[in-house]
Amino acid sequence: MLAGCGAPAGAQTWPFEGQWDCEVGIFTFTATTYDPGGEEMEILDVLRDGDSYILTFADDYQLALEMNPDGTMDWLSAASGDGFTCQPLP
């Protein structure tokens, strides 16, 4: 578990917000939702630790996002073991 403070989704602007090309598709993040391509999910909580973020959804599903110095973002699902490097879209 990451050390840091959790915040309700939508409480602030997050650096992962926007559209990202994540190798297998376009993923869209807002302050309150995540859409991996047709299945919008409500973000219930965001836990921040430096440049890392854990997003929590219904049924305790979580994603980890790491903001990289080069402007890319690493996406990781502990549930599936999938990981992608995402490029920001304009």
Coordinates of all heavy atoms in Angstrom, one line a residue:
M1 N 0.8 -1.2 0.0 CA 0.0 0.0 0.0 C 0.9 1.2 0.0 O 1.9 1.3 0.7 CB -0.9 0.0 1.2 CG -1.8 1.2 1.4 SD -3.1 1.4 0.2 CE -4.3 0.2 0.7
L2 N 0.5 2.2 -0.8 CA 1.3 3.4 -0.8 C 1.0 4.3 0.4 O -0.1 4.4 0.8 CB 1.0 4.2 -2.1 CG 1.4 3.5 -3.4 CD1 0.9 4.4 -4.6 CD2 2.9 3.5 -3.5
A3 N 2.0 5.0 0.8 CA 1.8 6.0 1.9 C 1.4 7.3 1.2 O 1.8 7.6 0.1 CB 3.1 6.2 2.6
G4 N 0.5 8.0 1.8 CA 0.0 9.2 1.2 C -1.4 9.5 1.7 O -1.9 8.7 2.5
C5 N -2.0 10.5 1.2 CA -3.4 10.8 1.6 C -4.3 10.5 0.5 O -4.0 10.8 -0.7 CB -3.5 12.2 2.1 SG -3.1 13.4 0.8
G6 N -5.4 9.9 0.8 CA -6.4 9.6 -0.2 C -7.3 10.8 -0.3 O -7.4 11.7 0.6
A7 N -7.9 11.0 -1.5 CA -8.8 12.1 -1.7 C -10.0 11.6 -2.5 O -9.8 10.8 -3.4 CB -8.1 13.2 -2.5
P8 N -11.2 12.1 -2.2 CA -12.3 11.8 -3.0 C -12.1 12.2 -4.4 O -11.5 13.2 -4.7 CB -13.5 12.6 -2.4 CG -13.0 13.1 -1.1 CD -11.5 13.1 -1.2
A9 N -12.5 11.4 -5.3 CA -12.4 11.7 -6.8 C -13.1 13.0 -7.0 O -14.1 13.3 -6.4 CB -13.0 10.6 -7.6
G10 N -12.5 13.8 -7.8 CA -13.1 15.1 -8.2 C -12.8 16.2 -7.2 O -13.2 17.4 -7.4
A11 N -12.0 15.9 -6.2 CA -11.6 17.0 -5.2 C -10.6 17.9 -5.7 O -10.4 19.0 -5.2 CB -11.1 16.3 -3.9
Q12 N -9.9 17.5 -6.8 CA -8.8 18.4 -7.4 C -8.6 17.9 -8.8 O -9.2 16.9 -9.3 CB -7.6 18.3 -6.5 CG -6.9 16.9 -6.5 CD -5.7 16.9 -5.6 OE1 -5.7 17.3 -4.5 NE2 -4.5 16.5 -6.2
T13 N -7.7 18.6 -9.5 CA -7.3 18.2 -10.8 C -6.1 17.3 -10.7 O -5.1 17.6 -9.9 CB -6.9 19.5 -11.6 OG1 -8.0 20.3 -11.7 CG2 -6.5 19.1 -13.0
W14 N -6.1 16.2 -11.4 CA -5.0 15.2 -11.4 C -4.2 15.2 -12.7 O -4.8 15.5 -13.7 CB -5.6 13.8 -11.2 CG -6.5 13.7 -10.0 CD1 -7.8 13.6 -9.9 CD2 -6.0 13.6 -8.6 NE1 -8.2 13.5 -8.6 CE2 -7.2 13.5 -7.8 CE3 -4.7 13.6 -8.0 CZ2 -7.1 13.4 -6.4 CZ3 -4.7 13.5 -6.6 CH2 -5.8 13.4 -5.8
P15 N -2.9 14.9 -12.6 CA -2.1 15.0 -13.8 C -2.4 13.9 -14.8 O -2.0 14.0 -16.0 CB -0.7 14.8 -13.2 CG -0.8 14.2 -11.9 CD -2.1 14.7 -11.4
F16 N -3.1 12.8 -14.4 CA -3.5 11.8 -15.3 C -4.8 12.1 -16.1 O -5.2 11.3 -17.0 CB -3.7 10.4 -14.6 CG -4.6 10.5 -13.4 CD1 -6.0 10.5 -13.6 CD2 -4.1 10.5 -12.1 CE1 -6.8 10.5 -12.5 CE2 -5.0 10.6 -11.0 CZ -6.3 10.6 -11.2
E17 N -5.4 13.2 -15.8 CA -6.6 13.5 -16.5 C -6.3 13.8 -18.0 O -5.3 14.4 -18.4 CB -7.3 14.8 -15.9 CG -7.9 14.5 -14.6 CD -8.6 15.7 -14.0 OE1 -9.4 16.3 -14.7 OE2 -8.4 16.0 -12.8
G18 N -7.2 13.3 -18.9 CA -7.1 13.5 -20.3 C -7.2 12.2 -21.0 O -7.6 11.2 -20.5
Q19 N -6.8 12.2 -22.3 CA -6.8 11.0 -23.1 C -5.4 10.5 -23.3 O -4.5 11.3 -23.6 CB -7.5 11.3 -24.5 CG -9.0 11.5 -24.4 CD -9.6 11.4 -25.8 OE1 -9.1 12.0 -26.7 NE2 -10.6 10.6 -25.9
W20 N -5.2 9.2 -23.3 CA -3.9 8.6 -23.3 C -4.0 7.4 -24.3 O -4.9 6.6 -24.3 CB -3.5 8.0 -22.0 CG -3.4 9.1 -20.9 CD1 -4.4 9.7 -20.2 CD2 -2.2 9.7 -20.5 NE1 -3.9 10.6 -19.3 CE2 -2.5 10.7 -19.5 CE3 -0.8 9.6 -20.9 CZ2 -1.5 11.5 -18.9 CZ3 0.1 10.4 -20.3 CH2 -0.2 11.3 -19.3
D21 N -3.0 7.3 -25.1 CA -2.8 6.1 -26.0 C -2.0 5.1 -25.2 O -0.8 5.2 -25.0 CB -2.1 6.5 -27.3 CG -1.9 5.3 -28.3 OD1 -2.2 4.2 -27.8 OD2 -1.6 5.6 -29.4
C22 N -2.7 4.1 -24.7 CA -2.1 3.1 -23.8 C -1.8 1.7 -24.5 O -2.1 0.7 -24.0 CB -2.9 2.9 -22.6 SG -3.0 4.4 -21.6
E23 N -1.2 1.7 -25.7 CA -0.8 0.6 -26.4 C -2.0 -0.3 -27.0 O -2.0 -0.6 -28.1 CB 0.1 -0.3 -25.6 CG 1.4 0.4 -25.2 CD 2.3 -0.5 -24.3 OE1 2.2 -1.7 -24.4 OE2 3.1 0.1 -23.6
V24 N -3.0 -0.6 -26.1 CA -4.1 -1.4 -26.5 C -5.4 -0.7 -26.8 O -6.4 -1.2 -27.2 CB -4.4 -2.5 -25.4 CG1 -3.2 -3.5 -25.3 CG2 -4.7 -1.9 -24.1
G25 N -5.3 0.7 -26.6 CA -6.5 1.5 -26.8 C -6.3 2.9 -26.2 O -5.3 3.2 -25.6
I26 N -7.3 3.7 -26.4 CA -7.3 5.0 -25.9 C -8.1 5.0 -24.6 O -9.2 4.6 -24.5 CB -8.0 6.0 -26.9 CG1 -7.4 6.0 -28.2 CG2 -8.0 7.4 -26.3 CD1 -5.9 6.3 -28.3
F27 N -7.4 5.4 -23.5 CA -7.9 5.5 -22.2 C -8.2 6.9 -21.8 O -7.3 7.8 -22.1 CB -7.0 4.9 -21.1 CG -6.7 3.4 -21.3 CD1 -5.8 2.8 -20.5 CD2 -7.4 2.6 -22.2 CE1 -5.5 1.4 -20.6 CE2 -7.1 1.2 -22.3 CZ -6.2 0.6 -21.5
T28 N -9.4 7.2 -21.3 CA -9.8 8.6 -20.9 C -10.0 8.7 -19.4 O -10.8 7.9 -18.9 CB -11.0 9.0 -21.7 OG1 -10.8 8.8 -23.1 CG2 -11.4 10.4 -21.4
F29 N -9.4 9.7 -18.8 CA -9.5 9.9 -17.4 C -10.0 11.3 -17.2 O -9.6 12.3 -17.8 CB -8.2 9.8 -16.7 CG -7.5 8.4 -16.7 CD1 -6.7 8.0 -17.7 CD2 -7.8 7.6 -15.6 CE1 -6.2 6.8 -17.7 CE2 -7.2 6.3 -15.6 CZ -6.4 5.9 -16.6
T30 N -11.0 11.5 -16.3 CA -11.5 12.8 -15.8 C -11.2 12.7 -14.3 O -10.6 11.7 -13.8 CB -13.0 13.0 -16.0 OG1 -13.7 12.2 -15.2 CG2 -13.4 12.8 -17.5
A31 N -11.5 13.8 -13.6 CA -11.3 13.8 -12.1 C -12.2 12.7 -11.4 O -11.9 12.3 -10.4 CB -11.7 15.1 -11.6
T32 N -13.3 12.3 -12.1 CA -14.2 11.3 -11.5 C -14.5 10.0 -12.2 O -15.2 9.2 -11.7 CB -15.6 12.0 -11.2 OG1 -16.1 12.5 -12.5 CG2 -15.4 13.2 -10.3
T33 N -14.0 9.9 -13.5 CA -14.2 8.7 -14.2 C -13.0 8.2 -15.0 O -12.1 9.0 -15.3 CB -15.4 9.0 -15.3 OG1 -14.9 10.0 -16.2 CG2 -16.7 9.3 -14.6
Y34 N -13.1 6.9 -15.3 CA -12.1 6.3 -16.2 C -12.8 5.5 -17.2 O -13.7 4.8 -16.9 CB -11.2 5.4 -15.3 CG -10.4 4.3 -16.1 CD1 -9.5 4.7 -17.0 CD2 -10.6 3.0 -15.8 CE1 -8.8 3.7 -17.7 CE2 -9.9 2.0 -16.5 CZ -9.0 2.4 -17.4 OH -8.2 1.4 -18.1
D35 N -12.4 5.7 -18.5 CA -13.0 5.0 -19.6 C -11.9 4.4 -20.5 O -11.2 5.0 -21.2 CB -13.9 6.0 -20.5 CG -14.6 5.3 -21.6 OD1 -14.4 4.1 -21.9 OD2 -15.5 5.9 -22.2
P36 N -11.8 3.0 -20.4 CA -10.8 2.3 -21.2 C -11.3 2.0 -22.6 O -10.6 1.2 -23.3 CB -10.6 1.0 -20.4 CG -11.9 0.8 -19.7 CD -12.5 2.1 -19.4
G37 N -12.4 2.6 -23.0 CA -12.9 2.4 -24.4 C -14.3 1.8 -24.4 O -14.5 0.8 -24.9
G38 N -15.2 2.5 -23.8 CA -16.6 2.1 -23.9 C -17.2 1.7 -22.6 O -18.4 1.4 -22.6
E39 N -16.5 1.6 -21.5 CA -17.0 1.2 -20.2 C -16.6 2.2 -19.2 O -15.6 2.0 -18.4 CB -16.5 -0.2 -19.9 CG -17.0 -0.8 -18.6 CD -16.3 -2.1 -18.2 OE1 -15.7 -2.7 -19.0 OE2 -16.4 -2.4 -17.0
E40 N -17.3 3.3 -19.1 CA -16.9 4.3 -18.1 C -17.1 3.8 -16.7 O -18.2 3.3 -16.4 CB -17.8 5.6 -18.4 CG -17.3 6.8 -17.5 CD -18.0 8.0 -17.9 OE1 -17.6 8.7 -18.8 OE2 -19.1 8.3 -17.3
M41 N -16.1 4.0 -15.9 CA -16.1 3.6 -14.5 C -15.9 4.8 -13.6 O -15.1 5.6 -13.8 CB -15.0 2.6 -14.2 CG -15.1 1.3 -15.1 SD -13.6 0.4 -15.2 CE -13.3 0.0 -13.5
E42 N -16.7 4.8 -12.5 CA -16.5 5.9 -11.5 C -15.3 5.7 -10.6 O -15.2 4.6 -10.0 CB -17.8 6.0 -10.7 CG -17.7 7.2 -9.7 CD -19.0 7.3 -8.8 OE1 -19.9 6.4 -8.9 OE2 -19.0 8.2 -8.0
I43 N -14.5 6.7 -10.5 CA -13.3 6.7 -9.6 C -13.9 7.1 -8.2 O -14.4 8.2 -8.0 CB -12.2 7.7 -10.0 CG1 -11.7 7.3 -11.4 CG2 -11.1 7.7 -9.0 CD1 -10.8 8.4 -12.0
L44 N -13.7 6.2 -7.3 CA -14.2 6.4 -5.9 C -13.2 7.1 -5.0 O -13.6 7.8 -4.1 CB -14.7 5.1 -5.3 CG -15.8 4.3 -6.1 CD1 -16.1 3.0 -5.4 CD2 -17.0 5.2 -6.2
D45 N -11.9 6.8 -5.3 CA -10.9 7.4 -4.4 C -9.6 7.4 -5.2 O -9.3 6.6 -6.1 CB -10.7 6.5 -3.2 CG -9.7 7.0 -2.1 OD1 -10.0 8.2 -1.7 OD2 -8.7 6.4 -1.8
V46 N -8.7 8.4 -4.8 CA -7.4 8.5 -5.4 C -6.4 8.6 -4.3 O -6.5 9.5 -3.4 CB -7.3 9.8 -6.3 CG1 -5.9 9.9 -6.9 CG2 -8.3 9.7 -7.5
L47 N -5.4 7.7 -4.2 CA -4.4 7.8 -3.2 C -3.1 8.2 -4.0 O -2.7 7.5 -4.9 CB -4.2 6.4 -2.6 CG -3.1 6.3 -1.5 CD1 -3.4 7.1 -0.3 CD2 -3.0 4.8 -1.1
R48 N -2.5 9.3 -3.5 CA -1.3 9.8 -4.2 C 0.0 9.5 -3.3 O -0.1 9.7 -2.1 CB -1.4 11.3 -4.4 CG -0.2 11.9 -5.0 CD -0.3 13.3 -5.2 NE 0.9 13.8 -5.9 CZ 1.3 15.1 -5.9 NH1 0.5 16.0 -5.4 NH2 2.4 15.4 -6.5
D49 N 1.0 9.1 -3.9 CA 2.3 9.0 -3.3 C 3.4 9.5 -4.3 O 3.8 8.8 -5.2 CB 2.6 7.5 -2.9 CG 4.0 7.4 -2.2 OD1 4.5 8.4 -1.6 OD2 4.5 6.3 -2.1
G50 N 3.8 10.8 -4.2 CA 4.7 11.4 -5.1 C 4.0 11.5 -6.5 O 3.0 12.1 -6.7
D51 N 4.7 10.8 -7.5 CA 4.1 10.8 -8.9 C 3.3 9.5 -9.2 O 3.0 9.2 -10.3 CB 5.3 10.9 -9.9 CG 5.9 12.3 -9.9 OD1 5.2 13.3 -9.6 OD2 7.1 12.4 -10.1
S52 N 3.0 8.8 -8.1 CA 2.2 7.5 -8.3 C 0.8 7.8 -7.7 O 0.6 8.4 -6.7 CB 2.9 6.4 -7.5 OG 4.1 6.1 -8.0
Y53 N -0.2 7.1 -8.4 CA -1.6 7.3 -8.0 C -2.2 5.9 -8.0 O -2.1 5.1 -9.0 CB -2.3 8.2 -8.9 CG -1.7 9.6 -9.0 CD1 -0.6 9.9 -9.8 CD2 -2.2 10.6 -8.2 CE1 -0.1 11.1 -9.8 CE2 -1.6 11.9 -8.2 CZ -0.6 12.1 -9.0 OH 0.0 13.4 -9.0
I54 N -3.0 5.6 -7.0 CA -3.8 4.4 -6.9 C -5.3 4.8 -7.0 O -5.7 5.6 -6.2 CB -3.6 3.6 -5.6 CG1 -2.2 3.2 -5.5 CG2 -4.6 2.4 -5.6 CD1 -1.7 2.2 -6.5
L55 N -5.9 4.4 -8.1 CA -7.4 4.7 -8.3 C -8.2 3.5 -7.8 O -7.9 2.4 -8.2 CB -7.6 5.0 -9.8 CG -7.3 6.4 -10.3 CD1 -5.8 6.8 -10.0 CD2 -7.6 6.5 -11.8
T56 N -9.2 3.8 -7.0 CA -10.1 2.8 -6.5 C -11.5 2.9 -7.2 O -12.0 4.1 -7.2 CB -10.2 2.8 -5.0 OG1 -8.9 2.7 -4.4 CG2 -11.1 1.7 -4.5
F57 N -12.0 1.8 -7.6 CA -13.3 1.7 -8.3 C -14.2 0.8 -7.5 O -13.8 0.3 -6.4 CB -13.2 1.2 -9.7 CG -12.2 2.0 -10.5 CD1 -10.9 1.7 -10.6 CD2 -12.6 3.1 -11.2 CE1 -10.0 2.4 -11.3 CE2 -11.7 3.9 -12.0 CZ -10.4 3.5 -12.0
A58 N -15.4 0.6 -8.0 CA -16.4 -0.3 -7.3 C -15.7 -1.7 -7.2 O -14.9 -2.1 -8.0 CB -17.7 -0.4 -8.2
D59 N -16.2 -2.5 -6.2 CA -15.8 -3.8 -6.0 C -14.3 -3.9 -5.6 O -13.6 -4.9 -5.9 CB -16.1 -4.8 -7.1 CG -17.6 -4.9 -7.4 OD1 -18.3 -4.9 -6.4 OD2 -17.9 -5.0 -8.6
D60 N -13.7 -2.8 -5.1 CA -12.3 -2.7 -4.7 C -11.3 -2.9 -5.8 O -10.2 -3.3 -5.6 CB -12.0 -3.6 -3.5 CG -12.7 -3.2 -2.2 OD1 -12.8 -2.0 -2.0 OD2 -13.1 -4.0 -1.5
Y61 N -11.8 -2.7 -7.1 CA -10.8 -2.8 -8.2 C -9.9 -1.6 -8.2 O -10.4 -0.4 -7.9 CB -11.6 -2.8 -9.5 CG -10.7 -2.8 -10.7 CD1 -9.9 -4.0 -11.0 CD2 -10.6 -1.8 -11.6 CE1 -9.1 -4.0 -12.1 CE2 -9.8 -1.8 -12.7 CZ -9.0 -2.9 -13.0 OH -8.2 -2.9 -14.1
Q62 N -8.6 -1.8 -8.4 CA -7.7 -0.7 -8.3 C -6.8 -0.7 -9.5 O -6.4 -1.7 -10.1 CB -6.8 -0.7 -7.1 CG -7.6 -0.5 -5.8 CD -6.7 -0.5 -4.6 OE1 -5.8 -1.2 -4.5 NE2 -7.0 0.4 -3.7
L63 N -6.4 0.5 -10.0 CA -5.4 0.7 -11.0 C -4.3 1.6 -10.4 O -4.5 2.5 -9.6 CB -5.9 1.5 -12.2 CG -6.9 0.9 -13.1 CD1 -7.3 1.9 -14.2 CD2 -6.3 -0.3 -13.7
A64 N -3.0 1.3 -10.8 CA -1.9 2.2 -10.4 C -1.4 2.9 -11.6 O -1.3 2.4 -12.7 CB -0.8 1.3 -9.9
L65 N -1.2 4.2 -11.4 CA -0.7 5.1 -12.5 C 0.6 5.8 -12.0 O 0.6 6.2 -10.9 CB -1.7 6.2 -12.8 CG -3.1 5.7 -13.3 CD1 -4.1 6.9 -13.4 CD2 -3.1 4.9 -14.5
E66 N 1.6 5.8 -12.8 CA 2.8 6.4 -12.5 C 3.1 7.5 -13.6 O 3.2 7.2 -14.8 CB 4.0 5.4 -12.5 CG 5.4 6.0 -12.3 CD 5.7 6.4 -10.8 OE1 5.0 5.8 -9.9 OE2 6.5 7.2 -10.6
M67 N 3.3 8.7 -13.2 CA 3.6 9.8 -14.1 C 5.1 9.9 -14.3 O 5.8 10.0 -13.3 CB 3.0 11.2 -13.5 CG 1.5 11.1 -13.2 SD 0.4 10.4 -14.4 CE 0.6 11.6 -15.7
N68 N 5.5 9.8 -15.5 CA 7.0 9.7 -15.8 C 7.5 11.1 -16.2 O 6.8 11.9 -16.8 CB 7.2 8.7 -16.9 CG 6.8 7.3 -16.5 OD1 7.0 6.9 -15.4 ND2 6.1 6.6 -17.4
P69 N 8.8 11.3 -15.9 CA 9.4 12.6 -16.3 C 9.3 13.0 -17.8 O 9.3 14.2 -18.1 CB 10.8 12.5 -15.8 CG 10.9 11.4 -14.8 CD 9.7 10.5 -15.2
D70 N 9.2 12.0 -18.6 CA 9.2 12.2 -20.1 C 7.8 12.5 -20.6 O 7.6 12.7 -21.8 CB 9.8 11.1 -20.8 CG 9.0 9.8 -20.7 OD1 8.0 9.7 -20.0 OD2 9.4 8.8 -21.4
G71 N 6.8 12.6 -19.7 CA 5.4 13.0 -20.1 C 4.6 11.8 -20.3 O 3.4 11.9 -20.5
T72 N 5.1 10.5 -20.3 CA 4.3 9.3 -20.4 C 3.8 8.9 -19.1 O 4.1 9.5 -18.0 CB 5.2 8.2 -21.0 OG1 6.2 7.9 -20.1 CG2 5.7 8.5 -22.4
M73 N 2.9 8.0 -19.1 CA 2.3 7.5 -17.9 C 2.3 5.9 -17.9 O 2.0 5.3 -19.0 CB 0.8 8.0 -17.8 CG 0.1 7.4 -16.6 SD -1.6 8.1 -16.5 CE -2.4 7.2 -17.9
D74 N 2.7 5.3 -16.9 CA 2.7 3.8 -16.7 C 1.3 3.5 -16.1 O 1.0 4.1 -15.1 CB 3.8 3.3 -15.9 CG 5.2 3.4 -16.7 OD1 5.2 3.4 -17.9 OD2 6.2 3.6 -16.0
W75 N 0.6 2.5 -16.7 CA -0.7 2.0 -16.2 C -0.5 0.6 -15.8 O 0.1 -0.2 -16.5 CB -1.6 2.1 -17.4 CG -3.1 1.7 -17.2 CD1 -4.2 2.4 -17.0 CD2 -3.5 0.3 -17.2 NE1 -5.3 1.7 -16.9 CE2 -4.9 0.3 -17.0 CE3 -2.9 -0.9 -17.3 CZ2 -5.7 -0.8 -17.0 CZ3 -3.7 -2.1 -17.3 CH2 -5.1 -2.0 -17.1
L76 N -0.9 0.2 -14.6 CA -0.8 -1.2 -14.1 C -2.0 -1.6 -13.4 O -2.6 -0.9 -12.5 CB 0.4 -1.3 -13.2 CG 0.6 -2.6 -12.5 CD1 1.0 -3.7 -13.6 CD2 1.7 -2.6 -11.4
S77 N -2.5 -2.8 -13.7 CA -3.6 -3.4 -13.0 C -3.1 -4.6 -12.3 O -2.6 -5.6 -12.9 CB -4.7 -3.9 -14.0 OG -5.6 -4.7 -13.4
A78 N -3.2 -4.5 -10.9 CA -2.7 -5.7 -10.1 C -3.7 -6.9 -10.3 O -3.2 -8.0 -10.2 CB -2.7 -5.3 -8.6
A79 N -5.0 -6.6 -10.6 CA -5.9 -7.7 -10.8 C -5.6 -8.6 -12.0 O -5.7 -9.8 -11.9 CB -7.3 -7.1 -10.9
S80 N -5.2 -7.9 -13.1 CA -4.9 -8.7 -14.3 C -3.4 -8.9 -14.6 O -3.0 -9.8 -15.3 CB -5.5 -8.0 -15.6 OG -4.8 -6.8 -15.8
G81 N -2.6 -8.1 -13.9 CA -1.2 -8.1 -14.2 C -0.7 -7.4 -15.4 O 0.4 -7.3 -15.8
D82 N -1.7 -6.7 -16.1 CA -1.4 -6.0 -17.3 C -0.7 -4.7 -17.0 O -1.0 -4.0 -15.9 CB -2.7 -5.7 -18.1 CG -3.3 -6.9 -18.7 OD1 -2.6 -7.8 -19.0 OD2 -4.5 -6.9 -18.9
G83 N 0.2 -4.3 -17.8 CA 0.9 -3.0 -17.7 C 1.1 -2.4 -19.0 O 1.5 -3.1 -20.0
F84 N 0.9 -1.1 -19.1 CA 1.1 -0.4 -20.4 C 1.8 1.0 -20.2 O 1.6 1.6 -19.1 CB -0.3 -0.1 -21.1 CG -1.1 -1.3 -21.2 CD1 -2.3 -1.4 -20.5 CD2 -0.8 -2.3 -22.1 CE1 -3.1 -2.5 -20.6 CE2 -1.6 -3.4 -22.2 CZ -2.8 -3.5 -21.4
T85 N 2.5 1.4 -21.2 CA 3.1 2.8 -21.2 C 2.2 3.6 -22.0 O 1.9 3.2 -23.2 CB 4.5 2.8 -21.7 OG1 5.3 2.0 -20.8 CG2 5.1 4.2 -21.7
C86 N 1.7 4.7 -21.5 CA 0.7 5.5 -22.2 C 1.3 6.8 -22.6 O 2.0 7.5 -21.9 CB -0.5 5.8 -21.3 SG -1.3 4.3 -20.6
Q87 N 1.0 7.2 -23.9 CA 1.4 8.5 -24.4 C 0.2 9.5 -24.4 O -0.9 9.1 -24.7 CB 1.8 8.3 -25.9 CG 2.9 7.3 -26.1 CD 4.2 7.9 -25.7 OE1 4.5 9.1 -25.7 NE2 5.1 7.0 -25.3
P88 N 0.4 10.7 -23.9 CA -0.7 11.7 -23.9 C -1.1 12.1 -25.3 O -0.3 12.2 -26.2 CB -0.1 12.9 -23.1 CG 1.4 12.8 -23.4 CD 1.7 11.3 -23.5
L89 N -2.4 12.3 -25.4 CA -3.0 12.7 -26.7 C -3.4 14.2 -26.5 O -3.8 14.6 -25.4 CB -4.2 11.9 -27.1 CG -3.9 10.4 -27.4 CD1 -5.2 9.7 -27.6 CD2 -3.0 10.3 -28.6
P90 N -3.3 15.0 -27.6 CA -3.6 16.4 -27.5 C -5.1 16.6 -27.3 O -5.9 15.8 -27.5 CB -3.2 17.0 -28.8 CG -2.9 15.8 -29.7 CD -2.8 14.6 -28.9

